[in-house]
């Protein structure tokens, strides 16, 4: 199933670039270049943002889909997951977090 999925992803990527006019491959190569030519070791510390990107997406574009971006995403998702699991444990144990001990 993996080779079939790989071939399907290539076909869908190519058809979306042709149909919608998206230049995804060029954009990803450009983000890789920007990440390799960064001014600071941590990409999030740079203050230059791409003005041609929509304002709500500039901070995500700044991280260039790099390993730093995915590390921050993993930490954020794990924090949300642990919060939800902690709330579920308190609800199942009928624990009142606002009550006096």
């Amino acid at each position: 199933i993996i080779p079939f999925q790989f071939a399907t992803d290539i076909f869908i990527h190519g058809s979306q670039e042709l149909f919608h006019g998206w230049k995804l491959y060029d954009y990803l190569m450009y983000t890789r270049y920007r990440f390799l030519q960064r001014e600071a070791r941590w990409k999030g510390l740079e203050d230059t943002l791409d003005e041609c990107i929509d304002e709500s997406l500039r901070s995500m574009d700044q991280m260039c889909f790099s390993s730093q971006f995915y590390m921050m995403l993993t930490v954020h998702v794990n924090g949300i997951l642990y919060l939800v699991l902690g709330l579920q444990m308190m609800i199942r144990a009928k624990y009142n977090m606002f009550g006096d001990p």
Side-chain angles (χ1 to χ4, degrees):
I1 193 165
I2 301 246
F4 176 74
Q5 183 69 40
F6 185 68
T8 304
D9 287 342
I10 291 173
F11 174 74
I12 289 174
H13 174 76
S15 63
Q16 284 182 344
E17 277 195 349
L18 289 174
F19 184 75
H20 295 290
W22 298 341
K23 303 289 186 204
L24 293 176
Y25 183 75
D26 295 338
Y27 173 72
L28 292 175
M29 289 295 106
Y30 177 60
T31 57
R32 180 170 171 76
Y33 170 77
R34 284 189 324 184
F35 180 72
L36 293 175
Q37 300 299 322
R38 63 189 184 271
E39 299 167 3
R41 286 183 57 97
W42 185 254
K43 186 69 175 150
L45 293 178
E46 292 181 357
D47 55 353
T48 56
L49 297 174
D50 195 356
E51 297 293 326
C52 63
I53 303 288
D54 188 35
E55 191 171 339
S56 62
L57 300 173
R58 286 182 188 162
S59 60
M60 186 173 70
D61 175 67
Q62 179 188 10
M63 294 303 292
C64 298
F65 296 103
S66 62
S67 57
Q68 295 174 357
F69 170 74
Y70 290 113
M71 192 272 304
M72 284 184 1
L73 187 67
T74 301
V75 169
H76 184 78
V77 168
N78 279 327
I80 292 172
L81 181 68
Y82 294 149
L83 175 72
V84 169
L85 288 175
L87 288 173
Q88 281 185 354
M89 289 180 353
M90 287 192 296
I91 290 170
R92 288 179 187 246
K94 295 184 172 116
Y95 176 75
N96 183 8
M97 70 176 118
F98 300 112
D100 283 337

